[in-house]
Structure formats: C-alpha cells, structure tokens
Amino acid sequence: MGSDTIEHIFGAAVCVFAESGFERARMDEIARRAGVAKGTIYYHFKSKEELFVALMNNGMERLTAYLRRRLAQVEDPQEQLGEILDAQVRYLYDNGTFAKLLISEVWGSIERQRVFRARIRDLVSIIEEVIRRGEKEGSFRTLKVQETAVAIFGAISVAVLQELFRFEEQERQDVKEERIPDLVRNLETLIHHGLIYKEAE
Amino acid sequence: MGSDTIEHIFGAAVCVFAESGFERARMDEIARRAGVAKGTIYYHFKSKEELFVALMNNGMERLTAYLRRRLAQVEDPQEQLGEILDAQVRYLYDNGTFAKLLISEVWGSIERQRVFRARIRDLVSIIEEVIRRGEKEGSFRTLKVQETAVAIFGAISVAVLQELFRFEEQERQDVKEERIPDLVRNLETLIHHGLIYKEAE
Amino acid sequence: MGSDTIEHIFGAAVCVFAESGFERARMDEIARRAGVAKGTIYYHFKSKEELFVALMNNGMERLTAYLRRRLAQVEDPQEQLGEILDAQVRYLYDNGTFAKLLISEVWGSIERQRVFRARIRDLVSIIEEVIRRGEKEGSFRTLKVQETAVAIFGAISVAVLQELFRFEEQERQDVKEERIPDLVRNLETLIHHGLIYKEAE
Amino acid sequence: MGSDTIEHIFGAAVCVFAESGFERARMDEIARRAGVAKGTIYYHFKSKEELFVALMNNGMERLTAYLRRRLAQVEDPQEQLGEILDAQVRYLYDNGTFAKLLISEVWGSIERQRVFRARIRDLVSIIEEVIRRGEKEGSFRTLKVQETAVAIFGAISVAVLQELFRFEEQERQDVKEERIPDLVRNLETLIHHGLIYKEAE
DNA sequence: GATGAATGAGGTTTCATTCAT
DNA sequence: GATGAATGAAACCTCATTCAT
C-alpha cells in the first residue's frame, strides 16, 4: 500500500540521516534500507532536502505534541516544568537518531533554523509558557523568558546527547530505565534550584 | 614568511567551515579566500579532515586556556562559576564561527566526539572541577558532576548560538557590549539559583 | 468516447514537444495537459518515440494534403508555385509548434530524416512537380529539380520560423492577417524572379 | 599544454553534439573522445550548456569572419552575393557537424535564438548589407531586406544539410569538389534570377 | 614552498516505461 | 480502457586529492 512505502522511507531515512548527517547520508542507502528503488523516494519527495525537512517536521511535531500532552496532566508550573524535563529527556532518549539531527543539523545551522523557525518556536514556546505562568504565580524567578527557555532546551538536549553517545545501541536499552530517571532528577534539581545550595540573601 | 601562509589558510578555513559546515565547505573556496592556490593547502595539511581537526583543536585549546586564565582570577567556587559563564559566553560570542562548528560538527557527531574526546574532556572538566570544589566547600548542591557540567556547557552554547543567529554580523558588534552582560546575568541566575523562587523546605 | 482521449493526448503532445523539443519533453507533462494518467498514453502509444512519429506524420500528411488541395485550384505552374508559397507559409504560421518541430527535430537529424523519408519526399516532390511542369512548359528556368525544391522549402520554413520567433503567441494573432501576405509576396518575388533586377543578356 | 586540452575538448564536442544533438550528447562520450577525464571538461566549462554555447559561438564567429573575408575580395553586389553563396555552402559543407547543429539546435529553438541573437544578427546582416548595396545601386530588386536575407540563409543551409545527409562521411570527400560548384551554381541562379524564365512585363 | 590543471569516484536527480489494480 | 505508484538505468555535475612544474 502507498502509505506503507512512505513509512518505510521515513524509517530508513531517520536512521541514515542520524548515522551520517545530512550531507553524508546517501539516497542509495536510504532506498536500500527502505527496501524500495531510489526512484521511489523521488516519486514521493522532490529532493533529499525535502525528505529531510519532512522528516524533521514530523519529529518536531511529535515532540511538541508529546510535551503538550504531558503538560496537560498537571497544573502547578513547577510540576509542569518537571513534566517537560521528563518528557523531553524521554523522547530524545527514545529517538536518539532524531536527537542527534536536532542538535547537529537543525540547531547548528542558520539556514535550517530559518526553515524550521516555526517548529522551533512551537517547541521553545512550550517552555516559555510554563516559565511565564510560574512567574505570574510568584513561584518562579523573573528571568528573560526566551533566553531561559532556550538555555533549558539546550541543557536537556546536549545532556541527553552526551548520554546517548556513551552507550551503544543495545546497552542503552538495558540501562534505560535506570538512567532516564537519574538524568531527569539531576536536570530537575539543576534547573529548579540551581547549583548554589543556600541563597545568600 | 611561511607561517603567514598558514595564518591565511586558518583564517579562511574557520569562516568557510562555519558558513557551510564541514561537508559543504569547499577547499577551492578556502584557497580563494586565503589567497593561495589549492595545492598550497595540501602542502601544509594532509587533508580537509586534518585541516578541520587542527582548526578545532586550536579553537578548543584557546577556549580552555581562556577559561583557566579567568578561573585563576577568583577563589570562591561561586565566583568561579560566574567567571566561567562570562568567559564562555564572551568567547563563543566573539568566535561565532567556532561556536557554530562546536555545536553542529563536534557536539552532534559521535565520530567527531571520538576525535576530540580529549579536548572535550578538558573543557568539561574545568566546569566539573568548580562543581566539585563547591560541593566540598558545602556551598554547592550535590549533583552528578559530569552530567551537570555537560548540561551547563550545553545551556551556554545553545543560548549563545541562538543569540548569534538573531543578529547579522555587523549588528552584532553594535549590541555586543549590552547583550553579553544581559545573557551572562540571566544564565548565571538560572544556573546558580534555578527557576524556583523559594525552596519549599 | 475513446477517440476523445487520443485527441487530447495529441493536442497536449504537439504543444509540449514544440515547447521543449523531443528530448526535453516529458511524458508526465503531456499526460497532465491532456488530463489523463501517464499510463493511458502508453495504452495508446507504445513509446514516446511512437507518439512523436504519429504526431509528425499527422502534421506532414495534413500539410501535404493542404498543398495538393491548393495546387488543384490553379493550372499555370507559376500560379501553382504562388499557391504553394502561400499555402506553406499559412500552414506553418498557423501551426507554429509543428513548424518548429519540422525544422529542429526532423530536418536537422539524419535518423529522423530516415524515419520520415517518405513524408519528406511527398512534401518536397510537390514542389518538384511544379518545377518540372514549369520547365516543360518553358516558363521556368532549367535547374536541378530536387536541390531547388529543397532550397525553396528551406527558404520558406526558416523565414516563417524566424517570423514566429519575433512575436509572442497573442501578438501573432493580431498581426497575422497583414504579416502573412507580406511574407508571401516577398518570398514569391524572390523565388519567382530572384534578386537581380535586370538580366544582363 | 593547457590550450591543447581545450582544443581536444572542442574537437570532440562538435562531433558528439552533431551526431547526437545537444540533449542526447553525453559528456562521458565527449571526454572519452577528447582523451581527457570528465572532470577536465568541467574544469574548463561550467556546464554542458556552456560548452555548447562556447562551441557554437566559435563556429559562428569563424563563419562570419570567413564570409567577410570573401566579401572583401569583390566589389560588385551581384558578385558579392555569389561569394556569399559559395562561401556559406563551402563552410557548411566542410563543417557538416556545425551545419547540423546550426539548423537543429540554434535555428529551431527560441531559447537558443535568444542566446545567440547577436551572432545570428552578425551572420544575417552580412547578407542584408549586400542586398542593401545592390538596391541602392539599382541592380537589385526592392525587397524586405531582413526577411529576404533570412530566407536566403535558410535556403542555403537546408540545401547543404540535405546534401550532407545524402552521402556518408567518406563518400562526401570524394564527390566534394564536383558537388559544391554544382550546388552553388544552382542556388546562385535561383537566388539571382528566380525560377521564372522571362519576366512577363 | 607554491602552483593549478587534471583526475575520477561518487553523489543527486531525472524520466521513460511497466504492471497490478 | 484507464490508472499511477514504482522502477532503475543513465546522465550531469562536484570536489577532494594528486603531481609535474
């Protein structure tokens, strides 16, 4: 069936793009792994670039949706921040390929940032909203909302990525259930309360 | 003088690599901007890869040295963390090209992480040392040292990068002196004290 | 009705072939403009080549038929030559797309000349017959019949083509009724009497 | 030597383009026949298109120069027209590959006509000048100058092309010295005096 | 030390054609 | 009769690297 083909292409593409990066990824390899002819990819996507953009949009939309779903489950801003941390760590950990691409291909290139501007906005603004609500409520410190949200996003992403690079695929699955809560707890403490034990004033 | 040639090549290479990324960067373009023939680059560097590695090592060494120098100027761990924040923000802001490469080419690729493992260790361990000292002293919270250091590194890098992408080259110089302190102050508060205004217990 | 489909395909094909030339013409585009699926074209024509040949044969047959019809209306060889001139100019002018293909795809390629040999013969021999009749009657100069016929054919075709390229589609319709007689009159004088005003002897 | 390489590429390109037409001509084949690597062609010419344009400009410039040289040898407009006929027939006959390309690729395509507009103008205007001089002198009939020049150009080109297609390469060389004068004489009579033996009035 | 013409493997993309529905 | 998703051969072009000067 038609939709099946696209699924296969998507599946193969995430892997190959993540393994090799956008430039080094070869359409041949994507086709081979998807079990379709090279031409078939071009029947569905105009170019390598378009395939990549479709893929990343898909991944970012799903991450956004997942974050919003998790967010809806709690009311208190502090708890919401916790949910976001846990959700983002979990999603990036489970979609390691996507995480790599997000950092290396989207975050580090101005052209790509332009292409994905809207989706990045969506993602960052979820964190922003929580920060704003916390501030209004009086439980959060007053900070530059956007800068802070981006920094939090960066802290989580880079931390997860580093973690992913430390273990090989198989090993990762084994330790996953103990590593994720650890990671989340650590980031949560850092972001909630900071490094300094007791505030001076 | 011969060393002059290498300087020119280095200067051109950082720009081109940062503008286009490693893969898309063309040796032709580097040669053109350096004002030398393509063969000359190959006389000094065995390959594109080697040129890139030399370049990044250089940049990371300089960042490391700069951080250490700044660190030596204060004693208190909390102030040291402040110095690191300011130093890293400033260096990445001033070397925007290098910052981009650090995120997109080094941080996001496992092969590159392997190549630069030692330098990354150096960089991250500076933050780690400060955290350990703060903990021992009792003024810092007890956290997973490495994970925290990486998260802080990520928070700073992504925040600066985002900032860099918001302004064009020229404009950047104009607002630099007011933006950097703003950025640093915000990151400092976040990392020192976290988002939550008052600790519950 | 089925024949309707073929009409649509033919109509789209002339346009696309003429706009892009045989090689650059894409079956996709022909199908799109004909309002049918690509497979439908292949249901009716074995290949792109076959579609093209069918198309050109059709056009050449119609030109031949038209020339013969016009020729039958007058008796005198000189008048017949005039009729041919007028008829060929008119037909090529009205079927600009066909005219282009005749020059670029049929006339300029030996393989195509082989394929259309018979039709080209038909076309050229109409002119040849008139020349022969004129010679026999004594009113025409004695010349190499075939070479002369081909030269006349070329003069008319290239002149009309040049004219067609000078005006855009719409504009062409507006000036058509004044340009065609002008063109014909000029060619007629040239071919009937030559450039030289008074023969020496 | 460098210039040698370009000569080889040019030589191979005319042949391949003429044999197969622009679209079907393969760069691989041109490279093979030129005895260079494919990349070498791209080192000297940015694209297939650019190679083709360079080639045709070269050919048209040489034809123009040759026509002007021949023209300068006689004074009388009627003799000049004869020279042009002889020169053009001879050049196209000797450069059959170029002749084919002129008709099929340049003359029959509006895009190409645009690209070569200036060179085509040069070529046609040589004939125009002779016609104008003849008119002024009173020895030539008054006709639309441009249209007439184009028609003459077309008559000659198509006639030569047809002749070229009738003989294979080798055979052509053998009959060349008797065929060219025949062709020229016939065209000369046609264009000088027209088909009609005696003017009626 | 420095040059730049030449290389050729390798990549993306195109598109006529097929075939199961 | 008609469809359109799928194919894969083939073409253009890129560019890191080499080497004779």
Side-chain angles (χ1 to χ4, degrees), chain D residues 46-153:
Chain D
K46 229 170 44 205
S47 65
K48 187 182 179 182
E49 177 75 22
E50 199 183 75
L51 171 59
F52 179 73
V53 169
L55 210 63
M56 292 308 289
N57 271 333
N58 189 273
M60 288 167 95
E61 270 167 28
R62 277 159 56 181
L63 173 52
T64 308
Y66 180 53
L67 289 180
R68 290 221 174 275
R69 228 178 304 131
R70 292 284 302 270
L71 213 60
Q73 286 166 16
V74 290
E75 287 274 296
D76 179 56
Q78 185 167 346
E79 282 180 67
Q80 288 190 322
L81 191 58
E83 284 294 299
I84 283 178
L85 285 178
D86 186 80
Q88 192 176 329
V89 168
R90 219 166 262 282
Y91 188 89
L92 295 181
Y93 206 100
D94 283 342
N95 302 274
T97 53
F98 173 73
K100 268 189 263 185
L101 290 174
L102 194 63
I103 285 292
S104 63
E105 302 289 340
V106 178
W107 216 256
S109 147
I110 188 149
E111 288 83 17
R112 287 277 150 69
Q113 289 234 2
R114 262 194 274 273
V115 174
F116 296 112
R117 187 188 295 275
R119 302 269 174 256
I120 294 179
R121 279 272 74 223
D122 282 357
L123 222 43
V124 172
S125 67
I126 293 179
I127 304 180
E128 286 180 23
E129 285 168 29
V130 174
I131 296 177
R132 273 202 205 85
R133 214 168 309 133
E135 264 182 41
K136 203 169 284 173
E137 220 199 61
S139 62
F140 279 24
R141 213 176 290 283
T142 300
L143 289 169
K144 298 277 171 76
V145 178
Q146 198 191 328
E147 289 167 26
T148 308
V150 168
I152 291 174
F153 193 93

Side-chain angles (χ1 to χ4, degrees), chain A residues 14-27:
Chain A
V14 210
C15 296
V16 176
F17 277 132
E19 281 168 25
S20 321
F22 177 77
E23 289 294 337
R24 301 181 81 137
R26 297 192 288 111
M27 295 300 265

